[in-house]
Amino acid sequence: MLVEQNVPLQSLNSFGIAARAASLVRVRTEGDVRAVLSDPVLGGQGKFVLGGGSNIILTGDVKQLVLKVETLGRRVLEQTERHTIVEAGAGENWHDFVTWTLDQGLPGLENLALIPGTVGASPVQNIGAYGLELQDRFDSLDAVDLATGELFSLDAAQCGFAYRDSVFKHPPAAATYPGELPRSMGLAGRALILRVRFALPKAWKPVLGYLDLERRMQEEGVNRPSARQIYDWIVSIRRAKLPDPAVIGNAGSFFKNPTVTPEQCQDIIGRDPKVVHYPMADGSIKLAAGWLIDACGWKGKQVGNAAVYDKQALVLINRGGSEHPATGGEVMTLAKAIQTSVYERFGIRLEPEPVVV
Ligand code: EPU
């Protein structure tokens, strides 16, 4: 086990924020985690698990021991009556994994193509796009409990998935740890995900219905697209709308799309008839946060080197590149100003989507 000291994190977070880790260990096997946990010095230190760094905002140097997850491997694990179960190491790149499943002739993840980050981070925020969420294809995962060193597995119910949310984003509910993992138990900072399994449907049906996809189908005169066709469309739609983090630093959507009651929505429609809104199965209404921010005139606005992307107001970007990167403080100042202005105009509190460290 190699412990790296004073490690620059700028290339390890997709926003490109310059910060350092006091110490960092690369986790390539379960044995690496055990070695850290049983080490007399490292074992007792606070730990921060880092995946692809595509959903974090660093507001300063990281004093905890950074565990950079690099567990690799992809395989078809088993066939059940209705699904093919595939497994991938948490350190695998998400998009490469999606591409690999299609290359194996296994459709099901195509709507989630080109989402930045790693396989291990995908259940943490229950990634979703174009009508599909990770939870729709999730089977189970293996993780190490950083407090006890125990290896444990969780199924979908135990992960407590919700919109851009899971048990991994919530702090542990209790100081003591009873061995069993109740669904409601928060696991933030507690679990290091090693590998994830996905259940890909044998009777595959395309997930369509999202406006951008419907538009593509019409434009190209295709009414029964293949999984590969959808994959290609998603890649091209994302490239047109969202900044490539390799070119312009960003952390994807910065805020969650808020939900409101039908009465609140009617009130907003009364004042702003064009507000983009979607009725949800539970009777609530989801509003497009990007539209709300855009309506407040934020596109292209800047605080220091943190800015609002001019093609999608929901995405904050690093306008200073690697030479003069935005600081975490600038990003959070901009985010707070946006929250205030959306609250003042619409009475809605936007909740950040990335994890602020
Ligand atoms: N809109 C505007 N102005 C803007 C941005 C959006 O008017 O500046 C309007 C759009 O015209 C559209 C609506 O708002 O009518 C929704 O926009 P879009 O289709 O781009 O999707 P989104 O709700 O902004 C969500 C996810 C994205 C995901 C897309 C596609 C969240 C927080 N974001 O964005 O996820 O790719 O849908 O499914 O749910 C991410 O999580 O990092 C992410 C990029």
Side-chain angles (χ1 to χ4, degrees), residues 275-288:
V275 62
V276 178
H277 59 286
Y278 320 93
M280 306 302 289
D282 65 2
S284 66
I285 313 275
K286 191 174 264 190
L287 302 180

Side-chain angles (χ1 to χ4, degrees), residues 208-290:
L208 303 169
Y210 202 91
L211 194 66
D212 288 340
L213 278 177
E214 296 286 334
R215 207 175 281 144
R216 283 293 165 122
M217 282 169 57
Q218 278 179 6
E219 278 165 16
E220 303 198 17
V222 178
N223 53 17
R224 294 183 62 192
S226 66
R228 182 63 75 164
Q229 178 74 80
I230 294 173
Y231 169 95
D232 289 340
W233 286 338
I234 299 279
V235 167
S236 120
I237 292 167
R238 289 189 75 98
R239 288 212 169 114
K241 270 198 171 179
L242 298 166
D244 175 357
V247 183
I248 302 173
N250 75 89
S253 299
F254 201 90
F255 299 101
K256 294 183 187 182
N257 284 331
T259 44
V260 295
T261 62
E263 295 73 33
Q264 281 173 299
C265 189
Q266 274 313 319
D267 182 47
I268 295 173
I269 290 173
R271 288 176 283 136
D272 288 279
K274 289 196 182 139
V275 62
V276 178
H277 59 286
Y278 320 93
M280 306 302 289
D282 65 2
S284 66
I285 313 275
K286 191 174 264 190
L287 302 180

Side-chain angles (χ1 to χ4, degrees), residues 8 19 21 28 34 48 55 70 102 152-153 199 209 222 225 229 257 272 274 278 290 296 301 311 337 344 353:
R28 298 194 170 114
R34 294 204 188 291
F48 176 74
N55 203 44
E70 297 185 352
L102 290 177
F152 63 95
S153 301
V222 178
Q229 178 74 80
N257 284 331
D272 288 279
K274 289 196 182 139
Y278 320 93
C296 293
K301 293 272 166 64
K311 292 188 205 152
E344 283 172 357
E353 205 260 307

Side-chain angles (χ1 to χ4, degrees), residues 13 62 82 148 150 177 228-229 249 253 274 297 309 328 346:
N13 73 96
V62 183
R82 291 169 50 211
T148 64
E150 252 176 288
Y177 190 59
R228 182 63 75 164
Q229 178 74 80
S253 299
K274 289 196 182 139
Y309 192 50
F346 297 104

Side-chain angles (χ1 to χ4, degrees), residues 128-147:
Y130 306 100
L132 191 75
E133 283 187 319
L134 181 100
Q135 70 181 78
D136 303 324
R137 300 285 185 252
F138 179 87
D139 176 70
S140 55
L141 58 79
D142 298 335
V144 179
D145 183 328
L146 294 174

